[in-house]
Amino acid sequence: MSLLTLEHVDKTYGQGDLQVHALNGVDLTISKGEFTTVFGPSGSGKTTLLNLIGALDRPTSGSVVFLDKPIGSMNRHEQAAHRRFHVGFIFQSYNLIPVLTAYENVEFALKITGIRDSKKIHSQVTDMLDHVGLSELMHRRPNQLSGGQKQRVAVARALVKHPKLVLADEPTANLDSKTSKEVIEVMLRMNRELHTTFIFSTHDPMVMEYARRMVEIRDGNISQDTER
Amino acid sequence: MFLLRLAARNVFRRRGRTLIISSILVLAVAMFILFESLMVGMMDVSFRNVIDFEIPHIEIARKDYFTESEKSHTLPIGKRFIPEDRLISDVQKLKGYQAMTGILEFSADFISGRYEFPVRVRAVDPDTFNDVFMNSQYIVAGTFLDGNGPGVVIGSRLAEFFDLDVGEYFVMRFTDIGGSFNTIEGEVTGIVTTPHPDINLTTVFVNREHAAPRIGVEDLAVTQLMVRLEDRELASSQSNALMDTLGGNPLQARSYREGADFLVSLEQWGYLETYFLLALFLLVGAIGIISAVVLSAIEREKEIGMMKAMGMGESSILRLFMLEAGGIGVVGGALGCLIGAVIIFFFNTYGFDMDIFMDFSEIGVPVSGRIYGPWNFDAFLLIFVIVVIVSIIASILPALWAARKNPIDAIEKR
């Protein structure tokens, strides 16, 4: 079943002679439960594509439809509400809040959805930290965690609200190969256990090997779309 | 609650910056508490000195006496009156009534040796005068007016000016009721040093029974009837009550505040000045808060981007930064109140010698010596609330700027 559909999506930055065409007429359909990687050289349009899918940006033309809702034409408040409930983000540099513990960073994602039931929050947060193997370290702050542990906190934070889609922009770029493998395996396990759709961008061939679908982008166009 | 916890931790994230910004607020709060207490203490002493030595709670005189004495440098002895029994009875019925005394006040030149000095002469009935005023308690040499002899009591600064001591001779020249020059001569029988500088320099006390025939007025004539009440808070209401009973009478009753209108204006100016200083400090504090929020937003740009990407609303980010600014205000306000409390403790216990600054009598403030700053917990509460509110208000624009950041730009820190 289709979760997300992009039709003839163009994205242009700048004006006049300084115009940059980041995406040119991209068509893409993502189904529920996919574990998809978007890859390609730097500047090919991977991040722009993820930004449009995650309702962080609007296309210059074309449509982005998420579960029959046109998210490309939403205003910024509607986009924020959409991201709050339906999309989880994992960033390359983790972007954890340094003054909060691992537990509180994950709790934060639930709090902003407006859940007030503290028992429910506690159970969901501890459950998710347990899933990513961090239940022992939940009271540590980010500066007391390794890079891999931080990224696992970020994974837990993205997943704790049970979003329909998780977007990860180069989630292993700052990690060594062993830790990258651990993190991507956690993401894959979450995909299998929770049936959450994952789309992640990467340059790392080892990480790509885990994807069930590989979408290659070159010069703002999808040049290759392979399912395995 | 979560936002509050996050804001509280962010306040202490950059301890140095929080401390610097807070210290400006601490200074504003502590200075306000000090100035406010100084003002209240100084005005309290000033009004007490006016009541105890110059104009008690209520002063009754002819309306034209008040008008002329304000216009002219010479006190209008002609505008005298003889208090009727009904007036005395009405005064005695006032709420909180304690005592009353009649005085004859006139202008004269005090002469001793080659020098003369313009003075205000208060011809008084010592028995009743001492029930209303405190001058006799501040006698430093001799005695305060016995019987009805020709002696006078003068202030210590006047005595210093003429190099006079008890038992030495003086002459006072004045214009009597008929317009002729007349004199009172005799010995200085006492010298007073009161906390009211004007009394010490420009006032001479003489027996009314001795002075009245020399001025040429009736034995029972007075220029003012001075009334002491139990509590100064009653002064205005009882003065108004007396005015109602006086009706069409040519007499007028006024409270010490009306009599010391210069002090009332000074009090208002004093408060205005205190609040102006406070506003200046708060302005600097507000600029500090604005820069703190801007710096914080720049430093935490990626964090803001992440929060927005996760779907945190602009209003929540706005609230977060405002809470942080409010937190700095709370820290500054609380520390300022604490330091203010320490200052007031010493000020309240040991007092503050006003004479080391200046002679306040030169600007017409009847205060000298040590003053004590009272505790005013309303001032603590007021300034604390003001500082927190100003901090929050100052943060609105930079917080709005932070909240409206484009999440993509913020994450990529563009």
Side-chain angles (χ1 to χ4, degrees):
Chain A
M1 188 185 169
S2 158
L3 176 76
L4 182 83
T5 311
L6 282 81
E7 284 181 351
H8 315 303
V9 170
D10 287 334
K11 182 65 189 176
T12 308
Y13 295 109
Q15 286 177 328
D17 295 341
L18 298 173
Q19 268 196 353
V20 176
H21 298 282
L23 292 177
N24 300 307
V26 169
D27 291 308
L28 180 68
T29 301
I30 302 286
S31 301
K32 282 183 185 171
E34 279 192 17
F35 196 73
T36 301
T37 183
V38 177
F39 69 101
S42 292
S44 58
K46 300 188 297 292
T47 301
T48 303
L49 181 67
L50 292 188
N51 286 344
L52 292 173
I53 292 171
L56 285 170
D57 207 351
R58 290 189 197 87
T60 309
S61 64
S63 72
V64 182
V65 176
F66 186 96
L67 288 177
D68 301 327
K69 274 190 188 169
I71 57 171
S73 56
M74 285 176 173
N75 67 30
R76 64 180 204 275
H77 298 295
E78 290 167 336
Q79 281 186 326
H82 170 77
R83 293 194 300 268
R84 195 179 310 144
F85 296 105
H86 302 305
V87 189
F89 285 92
I90 300 168
F91 304 98
Q92 181 182 328
S93 48
Y94 332 121
N95 287 1
L96 300 178
I97 301 172
V99 291
L100 299 181
T101 62
Y103 178 93
E104 289 166 334
N105 266 287
V106 179
E107 185 189 16
F108 174 74
L110 278 183
K111 287 280 187 184
I112 61 174
T113 61
I115 298 174
R116 296 279 174 269
D117 184 345
S118 53
K119 277 185 186 166
K120 188 179 173 189
I121 289 173
H122 182 72
S123 129
Q124 276 184 242
V125 173
T126 47
D127 192 40
M128 194 50 68
L129 283 167
D130 194 35
H131 262 93
V132 298
L134 283 176
S135 47
E136 301 290 314
L137 305 174
M138 66 167 79
H139 297 302
R140 288 198 183 174
R141 288 198 178 179
N143 62 354
Q144 297 166 315
L145 298 172
S146 68
Q149 287 165 342
K150 283 182 201 169
Q151 199 58 303
R152 279 193 276 162
V153 175
V155 171
R157 183 179 65 184
L159 284 162
V160 72
K161 61 188 177 187
H162 297 300
K164 294 189 169 59
L165 174 66
V166 171
L167 295 171
D169 191 6
E170 309 215 22
T172 59
N174 287 348
L175 305 174
D176 60 48
S177 58
K178 183 171 171 279
T179 317
S180 296
K181 198 175 165 195
E182 281 171 14
V183 168
I184 206 74
E185 280 173 355
V186 166
M187 285 167 56
L188 187 59
R189 187 152 47 82
M190 296 292 106
N191 167 254
R192 282 184 190 137
E193 289 174 10
L194 305 172
H195 308 290
T196 309
T197 308
F198 275 79
I199 304 174
F200 58 96
S201 66
T202 188
H203 282 104
D204 187 344
M206 185 273 286
V207 172
M208 280 181 223
E209 286 303 308
Y210 284 87
R212 288 197 292 272
R213 181 178 172 190
M214 296 168 72
V215 176
E216 185 182 15
I217 295 200
R218 276 186 186 277
D219 302 325
N221 292 304
I222 293 177
S223 57
Q224 195 184 328
D225 188 347
T226 325
E227 292 215 30
R228 296 192 296 182
Chain B
M1 203 59 198
F2 191 85
L3 271 189
L4 197 64
R5 199 188 333 157
L6 180 56
R9 292 203 195 154
N10 280 331
V11 166
F12 295 103
R13 192 165 169 177
R14 290 271 181 267
R15 286 190 184 83
R17 188 187 302 154
T18 300
L19 204 68
I20 290 168
I21 306 298
S22 301
S23 61
I24 301 168
L25 300 175
V26 167
L27 193 67
V29 171
M31 292 303 275
F32 174 79
I33 289 172
L34 174 66
F35 282 142
E36 204 271 347
S37 185
L38 192 74
M39 272 301 301
V40 172
M42 197 168 86
M43 295 320 293
D44 183 63
V45 169
S46 300
F47 280 120
R48 203 167 54 215
N49 286 345
V50 166
I51 291 166
D52 289 346
F53 302 99
E54 191 181 357
I55 304 165
H57 300 110
I58 297 174
E59 178 184 25
I60 304 160
R62 281 170 51 167
K63 287 171 186 164
D64 49 3
Y65 175 85
F66 285 133
T67 319
E68 276 195 39
S69 60
E70 278 164 18
K71 277 186 196 162
S72 163
H73 290 297
T74 309
L75 293 165
I77 188 74
K79 311 297 179 192
R80 66 199 182 280
F81 68 101
I82 296 173
E84 293 172 3
D85 291 345
R86 194 178 154 201
L87 172 66
I88 290 169
S89 164
D90 286 342
V91 169
Q92 285 169 336
K93 283 180 201 159
L94 290 175
K95 190 179 172 191
Y97 168 81
Q98 271 195 331
M100 82 176 112
T101 188
I103 65 171
L104 258 178
E105 205 166 62
F106 59 98
S107 301
D109 291 318
F110 193 90
I111 303 163
S112 179
R114 293 162 53 200
Y115 303 106
E116 58 183 74
F117 192 83
V119 292
R120 174 177 64 167
V121 185
R122 290 194 137 182
V124 304
D125 298 317
D127 291 342
T128 56
F129 183 80
N130 291 343
D131 292 336
V132 175
F133 291 101
M134 307 289 169
N135 296 279
S136 63
Q137 294 173 21
Y138 289 84
I139 201 95
V140 290
T143 54
F144 193 88
L145 299 180
D146 290 337
N148 63 353
V152 294
V153 171
I154 60 174
S156 52
R157 289 188 64 194
L158 190 65
E160 279 168 28
F161 179 79
F162 284 104
D163 198 17
L164 275 175
D165 212 337
V166 171
E168 295 189 291
Y169 283 90
F170 72 92
V171 175
M172 277 197 300
R173 186 183 60 222
F174 54 90
T175 311
D176 67 17
I177 200 73
S180 308
F181 281 116
N182 208 334
T183 60
I184 293 176
E185 297 153 29
E187 285 180 17
V188 173
T189 58
I191 296 172
V192 287
T193 301
T194 71
H196 191 320
D198 279 1
I199 301 294
N200 299 340
L201 182 63
T202 60
T203 307
V204 172
F205 299 95
V206 60
N207 268 303
R208 195 169 65 90
E209 277 183 44
H210 178 69
R214 281 157 184 79
I215 305 164
V217 299
E218 304 81 356
D219 286 348
L220 296 175
V222 297
T223 49
Q224 297 120 293
L225 197 57
M226 305 294 209
V227 183
R228 188 170 191 92
L229 303 176
E230 284 169 1
D231 188 345
R232 74 164 86 157
E233 299 299 323
L234 291 168
S236 289
S237 67
Q238 295 312 294
S239 158
N240 291 338
L242 196 57
M243 278 302 285
D244 291 342
T245 61
L246 287 172
N249 202 304
L251 297 178
Q252 183 186 345
R254 67 182 192 182
S255 73
Y256 69 95
R257 286 186 75 88
E258 293 167 89
D261 52 352
F262 170 72
L263 265 190
V264 174
S265 308
L266 196 74
E267 185 181 38
Q268 286 161 351
W269 271 106
Y271 279 116
L272 205 64
E273 196 178 279
T274 306
Y275 282 101
F276 177 72
L277 277 175
L278 172 69
L280 272 185
F281 277 117
L282 286 182
L283 183 69
V284 177
I287 292 167
I289 293 277
I290 290 169
S291 38
V293 175
V294 169
L295 279 173
S296 181
I298 290 170
E299 277 173 3
R300 287 155 57 194
E301 211 161 354
K302 285 187 120 179
E303 201 175 300
I304 295 167
M306 175 275 292
M307 287 173 172
K308 294 199 77 170
M310 287 173 67
M312 194 171 182
E314 287 179 8
S315 61
S316 298
I317 294 172
L318 182 72
R319 273 209 306 278
L320 177 65
F321 277 94
M322 285 168 69
L323 281 171
E324 288 176 27
I328 296 174
V330 167
V331 171
L335 279 175
C337 284
L338 195 71
I339 292 171
V342 172
I343 295 170
I344 298 302
F345 171 76
F346 283 101
F347 193 28
N348 185 266
T349 311
Y350 303 108
F352 192 76
D353 190 359
M354 299 299 285
D355 294 343
I356 61 172
F357 283 116
M358 62 183 284
D359 181 354
F360 279 85
S361 63
E362 285 176 3
I363 56 164
V365 184
V367 64
S368 63
R370 203 161 273 276
I371 67 161
Y372 294 85
W375 287 99
N376 182 359
F377 293 106
D378 288 349
F380 280 74
L381 188 66
L382 175 78
I383 186 65
F384 181 78
V385 171
I386 286 177
V387 160
V388 174
I389 290 175
V390 166
S391 303
I392 291 172
I393 290 174
S395 72
I396 291 176
L397 279 179
L400 208 58
W401 171 73
R404 289 203 171 156
K405 276 181 179 295
N406 180 309
I408 300 169
D409 290 346
I411 291 167
E412 291 172 11
K413 220 171 174 182
R414 283 200 291 236

